[in-house]
Amino acid sequence: MTLKGSAFIAGAYEHPTRKADDKSLAQLHAEVAKGALDDAGLTKDDVDGYFCAGDAPGLGPLSMVDYMNLKVRHVDSTDTGGSSPLIHVAHAAEAISAGRCSVALITLAGRPRAEGMATGTAPRIATATAPDVPFEFPYGPTIVNMYAMCAMRHMYQYGTTSEQLAWVKVAASHHAQHNPHAMLRDVVTVEEVVNSPVIADPLHRLDCCVISDGGGALVVVSPEVAASLKRPKVRLLGAGESPKHQMGGKVDLTYSGAVRSGAAAFEMAGVNRSDIQYVSIYDSFTITVLMQLEDLGFCEKGQGGKLVADGNLISGVGKLPFNTDGGGLCNNHPSNRGGMTKVIEAVRQLRGEAHPAVQVKNCALALAHGTGGSLGTRHGSATLILERQ
Amino acid sequence: MTAQTRKIPAPQTNPENKPFWDAAGEGRLLVKRCRACGEAHHYPRALCPFCFSDDTEWQDASGRGTIYSYSVMRRAPVPYAIAYVTLEEGPTMMTNLVDCDFDALRIGQPVKVVFAPTEGGAPMPMFTPA
Protein backbone atom coordinates (compact mmCIF):
# COMPACT_ATOMS: atom_id res chain seq x y z
CA MET A 1 0.00 0.00 0.00
CA THR A 2 1.48 3.33 -0.97
CA LEU A 3 0.84 6.21 1.38
CA LYS A 4 1.60 8.81 -1.28
CA GLY A 5 -1.05 11.51 -1.09
CA SER A 6 -3.08 9.52 1.43
CA ALA A 7 -2.97 12.13 4.21
CA PHE A 8 -2.18 15.75 5.02
CA ILE A 9 -0.58 17.38 8.04
CA ALA A 10 -3.22 19.94 8.87
CA GLY A 11 -2.07 21.12 12.28
CA ALA A 12 1.29 21.56 14.00
CA TYR A 13 2.21 23.13 17.33
CA GLU A 14 5.37 23.38 19.41
CA HIS A 15 5.01 24.19 23.10
CA PRO A 16 6.89 27.40 23.95
CA THR A 17 8.07 26.16 27.36
CA ARG A 18 11.58 24.85 27.84
CA LYS A 19 11.27 24.30 31.61
CA ALA A 20 7.89 23.14 32.86
CA ASP A 21 8.24 23.19 36.66
CA ASP A 22 4.61 24.21 37.08
CA LYS A 23 2.98 21.73 34.70
CA SER A 24 2.16 18.03 34.79
CA LEU A 25 3.10 15.62 32.02
CA ALA A 26 -0.52 14.96 31.03
CA GLN A 27 -1.14 18.70 30.98
CA LEU A 28 1.74 19.25 28.55
CA HIS A 29 0.33 16.56 26.22
CA ALA A 30 -3.11 18.20 26.35
CA GLU A 31 -1.74 21.72 25.83
CA VAL A 32 0.12 20.70 22.67
CA ALA A 33 -2.97 18.81 21.47
CA LYS A 34 -5.05 21.95 21.89
CA GLY A 35 -2.41 24.02 20.10
CA ALA A 36 -2.27 21.73 17.07
CA LEU A 37 -6.07 21.45 16.80
CA ASP A 38 -6.42 25.25 17.01
CA ASP A 39 -3.75 25.55 14.31
CA ALA A 40 -5.67 23.16 12.05
CA GLY A 41 -9.03 24.81 12.67
CA LEU A 42 -10.44 21.66 14.27
CA THR A 43 -11.74 20.80 17.73
CA LYS A 44 -11.14 17.85 20.00
CA ASP A 45 -14.55 16.48 19.06
CA ASP A 46 -13.27 16.07 15.48
CA VAL A 47 -10.47 13.72 16.63
CA ASP A 48 -11.17 10.04 15.94
CA GLY A 49 -7.61 8.67 16.10
CA TYR A 50 -4.93 9.23 18.78
CA PHE A 51 -1.21 8.43 18.65
CA CYS A 52 1.46 8.71 21.36
CA ALA A 53 4.62 6.89 22.49
CA GLY A 54 6.36 6.03 25.76
CA ASP A 55 6.71 9.67 26.76
CA ALA A 56 2.95 9.77 27.51
CA PRO A 57 2.00 9.03 31.13
CA GLY A 58 0.41 5.85 32.39
CA LEU A 59 -0.94 3.49 29.78
CA GLY A 60 -0.22 5.97 27.00
CA PRO A 61 -3.25 6.24 24.74
CA LEU A 62 -5.65 4.95 27.40
CA SER A 63 -4.49 7.45 30.00
CA MET A 64 -4.41 10.35 27.57
CA VAL A 65 -7.75 9.79 25.81
CA ASP A 66 -9.24 9.62 29.31
CA TYR A 67 -7.50 12.85 30.41
CA MET A 68 -8.54 14.72 27.24
CA ASN A 69 -11.95 13.02 27.12
CA LEU A 70 -11.46 12.05 23.47
CA LYS A 71 -13.92 9.76 21.74
CA VAL A 72 -11.64 7.92 19.31
CA ARG A 73 -12.04 4.72 17.37
CA HIS A 74 -8.33 4.12 16.70
CA VAL A 75 -5.20 4.34 18.89
CA ASP A 76 -1.52 3.52 18.22
CA SER A 77 1.33 3.63 20.74
CA THR A 78 4.23 2.47 18.55
CA ASP A 79 7.42 3.42 20.39
CA THR A 80 10.75 3.75 18.62
CA GLY A 81 12.03 6.42 20.99
CA GLY A 82 12.60 9.86 19.52
CA SER A 83 11.57 8.87 15.99
CA SER A 84 8.09 7.78 17.13
CA PRO A 85 6.24 10.91 15.93
CA LEU A 86 7.50 10.40 12.37
CA ILE A 87 6.33 6.80 12.45
CA HIS A 88 3.02 7.98 13.91
CA VAL A 89 2.50 10.27 10.89
CA ALA A 90 2.96 7.28 8.56
CA HIS A 91 0.80 5.03 10.72
CA ALA A 92 -1.88 7.72 10.86
CA ALA A 93 -1.85 7.82 7.05
CA GLU A 94 -2.22 4.03 7.01
CA ALA A 95 -5.14 4.18 9.45
CA ILE A 96 -6.78 6.96 7.40
CA SER A 97 -6.32 4.92 4.20
CA ALA A 98 -7.88 1.91 5.91
CA GLY A 99 -10.88 3.98 7.00
CA ARG A 100 -10.10 3.59 10.69
CA CYS A 101 -9.97 7.34 11.36
CA SER A 102 -10.01 10.65 9.50
CA VAL A 103 -8.55 13.11 12.04
CA ALA A 104 -5.48 11.70 13.81
CA LEU A 105 -3.93 13.55 16.75
CA ILE A 106 -0.26 12.86 17.63
CA THR A 107 1.26 14.23 20.84
CA LEU A 108 4.71 14.21 22.42
CA ALA A 109 5.73 15.90 25.68
CA GLY A 110 8.09 15.57 28.59
CA ARG A 111 9.77 17.39 31.44
CA PRO A 112 13.25 15.83 31.87
CA ARG A 113 14.71 19.22 32.78
CA ALA A 114 12.21 19.92 35.55
CA GLU A 115 12.87 16.40 36.84
CA GLY A 116 16.63 17.01 36.87
CA MET A 117 17.48 14.08 34.60
CA ALA A 118 21.11 13.56 33.60
CA THR A 119 19.75 12.62 30.21
CA GLY A 120 22.95 11.99 28.32
CA THR A 121 25.53 11.08 30.92
CA ALA A 122 23.77 8.73 33.37
CA PRO A 123 23.35 5.06 32.40
CA ARG A 124 19.66 4.27 32.16
CA ILE A 125 17.70 1.02 31.92
CA ALA A 126 14.74 1.29 29.58
CA THR A 127 13.25 -2.00 30.75
CA ALA A 128 14.91 -4.25 33.32
CA THR A 129 13.77 -7.40 31.52
CA ALA A 130 15.28 -6.36 28.17
CA PRO A 131 17.59 -9.24 27.13
CA ASP A 132 20.56 -6.93 26.43
CA VAL A 133 20.58 -5.31 29.88
CA PRO A 134 22.88 -7.77 31.75
CA PHE A 135 25.37 -7.65 28.86
CA GLU A 136 25.42 -3.86 28.60
CA PHE A 137 24.20 -1.92 31.64
CA PRO A 138 27.11 -2.85 33.97
CA TYR A 139 29.52 -1.32 31.42
CA GLY A 140 27.95 2.13 31.80
CA PRO A 141 26.42 2.77 28.38
CA THR A 142 24.96 6.29 28.23
CA ILE A 143 23.30 8.16 25.43
CA VAL A 144 26.40 10.23 24.77
CA ASN A 145 29.08 7.50 24.87
CA MET A 146 27.06 5.26 22.54
CA TYR A 147 26.89 8.01 19.89
CA ALA A 148 30.51 8.82 20.66
CA MET A 149 31.53 5.28 19.64
CA CYS A 150 29.79 5.86 16.29
CA ALA A 151 31.74 9.08 15.85
CA MET A 152 35.01 7.41 16.84
CA ARG A 153 34.51 4.64 14.28
CA HIS A 154 33.44 7.13 11.58
CA MET A 155 36.60 9.15 12.17
CA TYR A 156 38.74 5.98 12.02
CA GLN A 157 37.12 4.61 8.88
CA TYR A 158 36.47 7.79 6.86
CA GLY A 159 38.80 10.43 8.30
CA THR A 160 35.95 12.58 9.62
CA THR A 161 37.19 15.37 11.92
CA SER A 162 35.90 17.13 15.03
CA GLU A 163 35.95 20.37 13.04
CA GLN A 164 33.60 18.89 10.44
CA LEU A 165 31.24 17.69 13.17
CA ALA A 166 31.39 21.15 14.74
CA TRP A 167 29.98 22.71 11.56
CA VAL A 168 26.66 20.96 12.28
CA LYS A 169 26.39 22.82 15.59
CA VAL A 170 27.58 26.07 14.02
CA ALA A 171 24.80 25.86 11.40
CA ALA A 172 22.16 25.09 14.05
CA SER A 173 23.31 28.07 16.10
CA HIS A 174 23.04 30.39 13.10
CA HIS A 175 19.37 29.37 12.85
CA ALA A 176 18.64 29.46 16.59
CA GLN A 177 19.64 33.13 16.90
CA HIS A 178 16.33 33.95 15.16
CA ASN A 179 14.15 31.72 17.37
CA PRO A 180 12.99 33.55 20.52
CA HIS A 181 12.04 30.23 22.16
CA ALA A 182 15.42 28.55 21.55
CA MET A 183 17.39 27.54 24.65
CA LEU A 184 20.73 28.50 23.09
CA ARG A 185 20.59 31.58 20.86
CA ASP A 186 24.26 32.54 20.66
CA VAL A 187 26.01 31.91 17.37
CA VAL A 188 29.04 29.68 17.98
CA THR A 189 32.19 29.03 15.96
CA VAL A 190 33.95 25.80 15.04
CA GLU A 191 36.69 26.74 17.51
CA GLU A 192 34.19 27.18 20.34
CA VAL A 193 32.71 23.74 19.67
CA VAL A 194 36.01 21.87 19.54
CA ASN A 195 37.33 23.76 22.56
CA SER A 196 34.27 23.00 24.72
CA PRO A 197 34.84 20.25 27.34
CA VAL A 198 34.95 16.66 26.12
CA ILE A 199 31.97 14.71 27.49
CA ALA A 200 32.76 11.34 25.89
CA ASP A 201 35.58 11.11 23.32
CA PRO A 202 35.34 12.48 20.66
CA LEU A 203 32.14 14.42 21.46
CA HIS A 204 32.32 17.79 23.17
CA ARG A 205 29.62 19.52 25.17
CA LEU A 206 28.65 21.58 22.13
CA ASP A 207 28.31 18.41 20.00
CA CYS A 208 25.38 17.47 22.27
CA CYS A 209 21.74 18.56 22.12
CA VAL A 210 20.02 20.52 24.86
CA ILE A 211 17.92 18.96 27.63
CA SER A 212 14.52 20.64 27.59
CA ASP A 213 10.93 20.31 28.66
CA GLY A 214 7.96 20.89 26.41
CA GLY A 215 6.52 19.01 23.50
CA GLY A 216 4.56 19.26 20.32
CA ALA A 217 1.62 17.86 18.43
CA LEU A 218 0.48 17.17 14.89
CA VAL A 219 -2.93 16.69 13.34
CA VAL A 220 -2.96 14.33 10.35
CA VAL A 221 -6.16 14.27 8.28
CA SER A 222 -7.71 12.60 5.26
CA PRO A 223 -7.68 14.42 1.88
CA GLU A 224 -11.42 15.08 2.32
CA VAL A 225 -10.96 16.76 5.70
CA ALA A 226 -7.92 18.68 4.39
CA ALA A 227 -9.99 20.13 1.57
CA SER A 228 -12.36 21.69 4.11
CA LEU A 229 -9.61 23.48 6.07
CA LYS A 230 -8.14 26.93 5.51
CA ARG A 231 -4.45 26.48 6.41
CA PRO A 232 -1.78 25.82 3.73
CA LYS A 233 -1.83 22.13 2.83
CA VAL A 234 1.11 19.83 3.57
CA ARG A 235 0.76 16.49 1.81
CA LEU A 236 2.48 13.23 2.73
CA LEU A 237 4.46 12.09 -0.29
CA GLY A 238 6.69 9.33 1.08
CA ALA A 239 7.37 7.45 4.30
CA GLY A 240 9.78 4.77 5.45
CA GLU A 241 10.73 3.18 8.74
CA SER A 242 13.39 0.70 9.78
CA PRO A 243 14.87 -0.55 13.02
CA LYS A 244 18.58 -1.36 13.15
CA HIS A 245 20.46 -3.18 15.91
CA GLN A 246 23.59 -5.17 16.77
CA MET A 247 22.72 -7.93 14.30
CA GLY A 248 23.56 -10.82 16.62
CA GLY A 249 27.06 -9.46 17.20
CA LYS A 250 27.85 -8.34 13.65
CA VAL A 251 28.01 -4.77 14.98
CA ASP A 252 28.47 -2.04 12.36
CA LEU A 253 28.37 1.49 13.76
CA THR A 254 29.07 3.20 10.44
CA TYR A 255 25.50 3.33 9.19
CA SER A 256 21.96 3.72 10.52
CA GLY A 257 18.49 2.47 9.63
CA ALA A 258 18.15 5.60 7.51
CA VAL A 259 19.73 3.57 4.69
CA ARG A 260 16.47 1.63 4.51
CA SER A 261 13.87 4.15 5.75
CA GLY A 262 15.22 6.85 3.42
CA ALA A 263 15.29 4.60 0.37
CA ALA A 264 11.71 3.51 1.04
CA ALA A 265 10.49 7.09 1.46
CA PHE A 266 12.20 8.31 -1.73
CA GLU A 267 10.86 5.37 -3.71
CA MET A 268 7.33 6.04 -2.53
CA ALA A 269 7.59 9.78 -3.17
CA GLY A 270 9.13 9.38 -6.59
CA VAL A 271 11.47 12.34 -6.10
CA ASN A 272 15.26 12.71 -6.13
CA ARG A 273 17.60 13.83 -3.34
CA SER A 274 18.41 16.94 -5.38
CA ASP A 275 14.70 17.91 -5.42
CA ILE A 276 14.60 18.31 -1.61
CA GLN A 277 14.75 21.99 -0.62
CA TYR A 278 14.81 21.65 3.17
CA VAL A 279 15.71 18.86 5.61
CA SER A 280 14.86 18.36 9.27
CA ILE A 281 17.45 15.88 10.55
CA TYR A 282 17.46 14.35 14.04
CA ASP A 283 20.28 16.07 15.90
CA SER A 284 20.77 14.46 19.28
CA PHE A 285 24.47 14.92 18.51
CA THR A 286 26.43 16.37 15.61
CA ILE A 287 27.46 12.87 14.48
CA THR A 288 23.77 11.87 14.24
CA VAL A 289 23.19 14.49 11.54
CA LEU A 290 26.32 13.65 9.58
CA MET A 291 25.63 9.91 9.48
CA GLN A 292 21.95 10.29 8.62
CA LEU A 293 22.64 12.66 5.72
CA GLU A 294 25.00 10.05 4.29
CA ASP A 295 22.51 7.23 4.87
CA LEU A 296 19.66 9.21 3.31
CA GLY A 297 21.79 9.51 0.18
CA PHE A 298 22.65 13.21 0.20
CA CYS A 299 26.30 12.23 -0.35
CA GLU A 300 28.45 9.13 -0.70
CA LYS A 301 29.07 7.09 2.47
CA GLY A 302 31.99 8.59 4.33
CA GLN A 303 31.69 12.03 2.69
CA GLY A 304 29.34 13.48 5.33
CA GLY A 305 32.14 15.55 6.83
CA LYS A 306 32.62 17.44 3.58
CA LEU A 307 28.86 17.77 3.09
CA VAL A 308 28.23 19.52 6.42
CA ALA A 309 31.37 21.70 6.47
CA ASP A 310 31.76 25.36 5.57
CA GLY A 311 28.20 26.40 6.30
CA ASN A 312 26.54 24.09 3.78
CA LEU A 313 23.67 23.42 6.23
CA ILE A 314 22.99 27.14 6.91
CA SER A 315 19.81 28.49 5.33
CA GLY A 316 20.57 31.17 2.73
CA VAL A 317 24.26 30.21 2.74
CA GLY A 318 24.59 26.51 1.91
CA LYS A 319 22.94 24.08 -0.46
CA LEU A 320 21.19 21.91 2.14
CA PRO A 321 19.44 24.07 4.78
CA PHE A 322 18.61 22.00 7.87
CA ASN A 323 16.87 22.43 11.24
CA THR A 324 16.03 26.10 10.75
CA ASP A 325 14.44 26.31 14.23
CA GLY A 326 17.86 25.62 15.77
CA GLY A 327 17.07 21.91 16.15
CA GLY A 328 17.78 19.80 19.19
CA LEU A 329 21.30 21.17 19.30
CA CYS A 330 20.09 24.70 20.14
CA ASN A 331 16.32 25.04 20.25
CA ASN A 332 14.48 22.20 21.94
CA HIS A 333 14.67 18.43 22.55
CA PRO A 334 11.47 17.85 24.54
CA SER A 335 11.21 14.59 26.46
CA ASN A 336 14.66 13.63 25.10
CA ARG A 337 12.82 12.86 21.86
CA GLY A 338 13.54 15.15 18.93
CA GLY A 339 11.29 13.68 16.24
CA MET A 340 8.22 15.84 16.82
CA THR A 341 10.04 19.15 16.44
CA LYS A 342 11.65 17.85 13.23
CA VAL A 343 8.23 17.41 11.61
CA ILE A 344 6.93 20.71 12.97
CA GLU A 345 9.76 22.78 11.45
CA ALA A 346 9.36 20.99 8.10
CA VAL A 347 5.67 21.96 8.17
CA ARG A 348 6.60 25.58 8.97
CA GLN A 349 8.98 25.64 6.01
CA LEU A 350 6.40 24.19 3.61
CA ARG A 351 3.79 26.70 4.80
CA GLY A 352 6.27 29.55 4.41
CA GLU A 353 5.93 30.22 8.15
CA ALA A 354 9.52 29.70 9.29
CA HIS A 355 11.32 32.80 10.59
CA PRO A 356 11.94 35.10 7.57
CA ALA A 357 15.69 35.00 8.20
CA VAL A 358 15.77 31.22 7.72
CA GLN A 359 12.76 30.59 5.45
CA VAL A 360 13.74 28.64 2.31
CA LYS A 361 12.34 30.51 -0.71
CA ASN A 362 9.31 28.81 -2.28
CA CYS A 363 9.87 25.70 -0.21
CA ALA A 364 7.71 23.04 -1.82
CA LEU A 365 9.47 19.79 -0.94
CA ALA A 366 10.96 18.86 2.44
CA LEU A 367 12.28 15.81 4.23
CA ALA A 368 12.08 15.03 7.95
CA HIS A 369 14.08 12.23 9.49
CA GLY A 370 14.31 10.77 12.98
CA THR A 371 16.44 8.27 14.88
CA GLY A 372 15.09 6.92 18.15
CA GLY A 373 16.77 4.75 20.75
CA SER A 374 20.54 4.69 20.45
CA LEU A 375 22.63 4.73 17.28
CA GLY A 376 25.28 2.71 19.15
CA THR A 377 23.02 -0.21 20.12
CA ARG A 378 19.48 -0.42 18.72
CA HIS A 379 17.45 2.30 17.10
CA GLY A 380 14.42 3.01 14.95
CA SER A 381 14.81 5.21 11.88
CA ALA A 382 11.90 6.98 10.23
CA THR A 383 11.76 9.25 7.18
CA LEU A 384 8.97 11.45 5.84
CA ILE A 385 8.89 13.35 2.55
CA LEU A 386 6.34 16.16 2.54
CA GLU A 387 5.18 18.60 -0.13
CA ARG A 388 3.25 21.85 -0.18
CA GLN A 389 0.07 21.74 -2.22
CA MET B 1 44.49 9.53 31.86
CA THR B 2 44.70 6.08 33.50
CA ALA B 3 41.77 3.81 34.26
CA GLN B 4 40.63 3.86 37.88
CA THR B 5 38.50 1.26 39.59
CA ARG B 6 34.81 2.08 39.66
CA LYS B 7 31.82 0.30 41.13
CA ILE B 8 30.25 -2.07 38.61
CA PRO B 9 26.56 -2.96 39.01
CA ALA B 10 25.87 -6.70 39.09
CA PRO B 11 24.43 -8.25 35.92
CA GLN B 12 20.88 -9.53 36.39
CA THR B 13 20.98 -13.16 35.38
CA ASN B 14 18.16 -15.37 34.09
CA PRO B 15 17.86 -19.07 33.21
CA GLU B 16 18.79 -18.40 29.58
CA ASN B 17 22.08 -16.65 30.29
CA LYS B 18 23.10 -18.24 33.63
CA PRO B 19 25.86 -20.48 32.14
CA PHE B 20 27.61 -17.35 30.82
CA TRP B 21 27.79 -15.84 34.30
CA ASP B 22 28.70 -19.12 35.99
CA ALA B 23 31.67 -19.39 33.60
CA ALA B 24 32.60 -15.75 34.20
CA GLY B 25 32.79 -16.63 37.89
CA GLU B 26 35.42 -19.21 36.94
CA GLY B 27 37.33 -16.74 34.78
CA ARG B 28 36.09 -18.13 31.45
CA LEU B 29 34.49 -16.16 28.60
CA LEU B 30 31.81 -18.06 26.70
CA VAL B 31 30.20 -17.43 23.34
CA LYS B 32 27.14 -19.10 21.94
CA ARG B 33 27.57 -20.99 18.66
CA CYS B 34 24.83 -22.50 16.49
CA ARG B 35 25.29 -26.15 15.57
CA ALA B 36 22.93 -25.76 12.61
CA CYS B 37 24.54 -22.82 10.76
CA GLY B 38 27.91 -22.72 12.50
CA GLU B 39 27.73 -19.00 13.38
CA ALA B 40 28.77 -17.62 16.78
CA HIS B 41 26.73 -14.73 18.23
CA HIS B 42 26.57 -12.29 21.16
CA TYR B 43 24.77 -11.50 23.46
CA PRO B 44 23.97 -15.19 23.94
CA ARG B 45 20.51 -16.48 23.06
CA ALA B 46 18.75 -19.85 23.18
CA LEU B 47 17.68 -19.39 19.56
CA CYS B 48 20.32 -18.57 16.93
CA PRO B 49 19.75 -14.96 15.74
CA PHE B 50 20.94 -15.93 12.25
CA CYS B 51 19.01 -19.13 11.39
CA PHE B 52 16.60 -19.35 14.36
CA SER B 53 17.70 -22.90 15.17
CA ASP B 54 17.37 -23.83 18.85
CA ASP B 55 20.45 -26.08 18.55
CA THR B 56 22.93 -23.62 20.10
CA GLU B 57 25.86 -24.50 22.35
CA TRP B 58 28.21 -22.71 24.73
CA GLN B 59 31.81 -22.53 23.64
CA ASP B 60 34.94 -21.30 25.44
CA ALA B 61 36.28 -18.17 23.75
CA SER B 62 40.01 -17.52 23.47
CA GLY B 63 39.55 -14.21 25.30
CA ARG B 64 41.44 -12.38 22.55
CA GLY B 65 40.03 -9.70 20.31
CA THR B 66 40.52 -6.25 18.82
CA ILE B 67 38.97 -2.88 19.62
CA TYR B 68 36.17 -2.08 17.11
CA SER B 69 35.35 1.29 18.70
CA TYR B 70 35.57 2.95 22.10
CA SER B 71 34.87 6.15 23.98
CA VAL B 72 36.24 7.46 27.26
CA MET B 73 33.41 8.84 29.36
CA ARG B 74 35.27 11.87 30.72
CA ARG B 75 32.22 13.42 32.36
CA ALA B 76 31.64 10.77 35.00
CA PRO B 77 32.58 10.66 38.70
CA VAL B 78 35.20 8.04 37.75
CA PRO B 79 36.01 8.26 34.02
CA TYR B 80 35.79 4.92 32.19
CA ALA B 81 36.26 3.54 28.70
CA ILE B 82 33.32 1.82 27.02
CA ALA B 83 34.06 -0.20 23.90
CA TYR B 84 32.98 -2.72 21.35
CA VAL B 85 35.56 -5.51 21.06
CA THR B 86 35.49 -7.98 18.16
CA LEU B 87 36.33 -11.45 19.48
CA GLU B 88 38.51 -13.92 17.60
CA GLU B 89 35.40 -16.10 17.39
CA GLY B 90 33.62 -13.43 15.34
CA PRO B 91 31.02 -11.58 17.43
CA THR B 92 31.52 -8.02 18.60
CA MET B 93 30.59 -7.37 22.24
CA MET B 94 30.10 -4.29 24.39
CA THR B 95 32.63 -4.07 27.22
CA ASN B 96 34.94 -1.81 29.19
CA LEU B 97 38.65 -1.28 28.60
CA VAL B 98 40.54 -1.39 31.90
CA ASP B 99 44.11 -1.39 33.31
CA CYS B 100 45.24 0.89 30.50
CA ASP B 101 46.22 4.43 29.56
CA PHE B 102 43.03 5.89 28.07
CA ASP B 103 45.01 8.26 25.86
CA ALA B 104 46.93 5.37 24.25
CA LEU B 105 43.85 3.40 23.17
CA ARG B 106 43.40 2.85 19.43
CA ILE B 107 40.80 1.18 17.22
CA GLY B 108 42.23 -2.11 15.94
CA GLN B 109 44.38 -2.59 19.02
CA PRO B 110 44.68 -6.24 20.25
CA VAL B 111 43.13 -6.83 23.67
CA LYS B 112 42.61 -9.75 26.06
CA VAL B 113 39.87 -10.54 28.54
CA VAL B 114 40.02 -9.90 32.29
CA PHE B 115 37.19 -10.24 34.78
CA ALA B 116 36.09 -7.36 37.01
CA PRO B 117 34.19 -7.88 40.26
CA THR B 118 30.68 -6.43 40.50
CA GLU B 119 28.55 -5.33 43.44
CA GLY B 120 27.25 -8.65 44.70
CA GLY B 121 26.97 -10.50 41.39
CA ALA B 122 28.92 -12.37 38.73
CA PRO B 123 32.08 -10.66 37.44
CA MET B 124 31.91 -8.82 34.11
CA PRO B 125 34.27 -9.67 31.24
CA MET B 126 36.39 -6.63 30.37
CA PHE B 127 39.44 -6.17 28.19
CA THR B 128 42.94 -4.82 28.56
CA PRO B 129 45.69 -4.24 25.96
CA ALA B 130 47.25 -7.59 25.00
Side-chain angles (χ1 to χ4, degrees), chain A residues 230-306:
Chain A
K230 294 189 178 72
R231 298 285 276 134
K233 293 181 177 29
V234 173
R235 183 174 178 249
L236 178 65
L237 212 54
E241 61 189 78
S242 175
K244 181 178 173 266
H245 43 72
Q246 295 168 332
M247 300 178 288
K250 296 181 191 294
V251 174
D252 188 339
L253 299 183
T254 61
Y255 73 96
S256 72
V259 166
R260 294 183 290 262
S261 70
F266 274 104
E267 188 185 347
M268 188 185 291
V271 299
N272 297 315
R273 274 67 173 176
S274 57
D275 298 328
I276 301 291
Q277 294 167 277
Y278 165 80
V279 292
S280 277
I281 304 290
Y282 204 94
D283 56 347
S284 45
F285 300 95
T286 52
I287 183 65
T288 324
V289 175
L290 188 151
M291 278 180 57
Q292 290 167 124
L293 287 173
E294 292 176 346
D295 296 341
L296 291 167
F298 287 100
C299 65
E300 293 292 314
K301 190 70 210 173
Q303 299 299 305
K306 287 179 188 155

Side-chain angles (χ1 to χ4, degrees), chain A residues 8-351:
Chain A
F8 288 73
I9 299 179
Y13 178 77
E14 180 184 2
H15 205 294
T17 189
R18 298 293 179 268
K19 195 161 191 294
D21 288 322
D22 56 345
K23 293 180 189 295
S24 78
L25 181 55
Q27 178 186 3
L28 285 171
H29 277 269
E31 286 179 358
V32 294
K34 181 178 167 61
L37 287 165
D38 286 349
D39 179 59
L42 293 165
T43 73
K44 87 179 179 68
D45 292 337
D46 297 313
V47 176
D48 57 1
Y50 176 66
F51 296 68
C52 64
D55 52 280
L59 276 177
L62 288 186
S63 300
M64 284 312 305
V65 298
D66 176 31
Y67 181 98
M68 295 190 279
N69 193 23
L70 297 179
K71 295 167 187 70
V72 298
R73 54 196 176 100
H74 183 77
V75 292
D76 181 331
S77 57
T78 303
D79 195 348
T80 56
S83 59
S84 302
L86 292 102
I87 285 183
H88 291 163
V89 170
H91 289 195
E94 287 172 7
I96 287 167
S97 296
R100 293 201 296 268
C101 62
S102 59
V103 176
L105 170 67
I106 306 167
T107 66
L108 174 143
R111 46 200 301 286
R113 198 172 167 215
E115 289 162 11
M117 269 179 85
T119 294
T121 54
R124 275 187 283 159
I125 297 180
T127 312
T129 54
D132 48 273
V133 167
F135 297 94
E136 297 183 0
F137 181 70
Y139 296 123
T142 63
I143 297 293
V144 62
N145 66 16
M146 290 294 103
Y147 283 76
M149 282 208 288
C150 297
M152 195 70 99
R153 185 71 197 185
H154 206 277
M155 289 175 163
Y156 170 82
Q157 207 153 324
Y158 302 114
T160 305
T161 66
S162 288
E163 287 73 17
Q164 289 172 328
L165 287 174
W167 270 109
V168 176
K169 169 74 174 189
V170 170
S173 76
H174 273 265
H175 299 149
Q177 66 178 316
H178 305 293
N179 181 351
H181 299 299
M183 275 186 69
L184 306 176
R185 295 188 66 192
D186 292 338
V187 172
V188 298
T189 64
V190 167
E191 290 69 30
E192 285 172 314
V193 178
V194 300
N195 289 326
S196 64
V198 172
I199 305 296
D201 298 301
L203 298 180
H204 307 82
R205 177 180 289 154
L206 295 187
D207 286 300
C208 306
C209 66
V210 300
I211 298 169
S212 62
D213 298 346
L218 298 164
V219 180
V220 180
V221 303
S222 66
E224 294 73 29
V225 172
S228 71
L229 301 174
K230 294 189 178 72
R231 298 285 276 134
K233 293 181 177 29
V234 173
R235 183 174 178 249
L236 178 65
L237 212 54
E241 61 189 78
S242 175
K244 181 178 173 266
H245 43 72
Q246 295 168 332
M247 300 178 288
K250 296 181 191 294
V251 174
D252 188 339
L253 299 183
T254 61
Y255 73 96
S256 72
V259 166
R260 294 183 290 262
S261 70
F266 274 104
E267 188 185 347
M268 188 185 291
V271 299
N272 297 315
R273 274 67 173 176
S274 57
D275 298 328
I276 301 291
Q277 294 167 277
Y278 165 80
V279 292
S280 277
I281 304 290
Y282 204 94
D283 56 347
S284 45
F285 300 95
T286 52
I287 183 65
T288 324
V289 175
L290 188 151
M291 278 180 57
Q292 290 167 124
L293 287 173
E294 292 176 346
D295 296 341
L296 291 167
F298 287 100
C299 65
E300 293 292 314
K301 190 70 210 173
Q303 299 299 305
K306 287 179 188 155
L307 178 71
V308 304
D310 303 325
N312 201 35
L313 301 179
I314 301 175
S315 185
V317 175
K319 289 180 181 160
L320 193 61
F322 100 123
N323 298 9
T324 40
D325 61 337
L329 287 168
C330 295
N331 170 30
N332 189 11
H333 196 239
S335 187
N336 309 318
R337 292 168 177 245
M340 175 59 76
T341 41
K342 298 296 159 291
V343 183
I344 291 171
E345 184 65 5
V347 169
R348 288 193 194 107
Q349 280 286 350
L350 291 168
R351 288 172 166 179

Side-chain angles (χ1 to χ4, degrees), chain B residues 8 20 27-29 31 48 51 56 62 69 71 78 91 113 120:
Chain B
I8 311 294
F20 182 92
R28 294 186 299 130
L29 176 65
V31 295
C48 171
C51 74
T56 56
S62 70
S69 193
S71 175
V78 179
V113 74

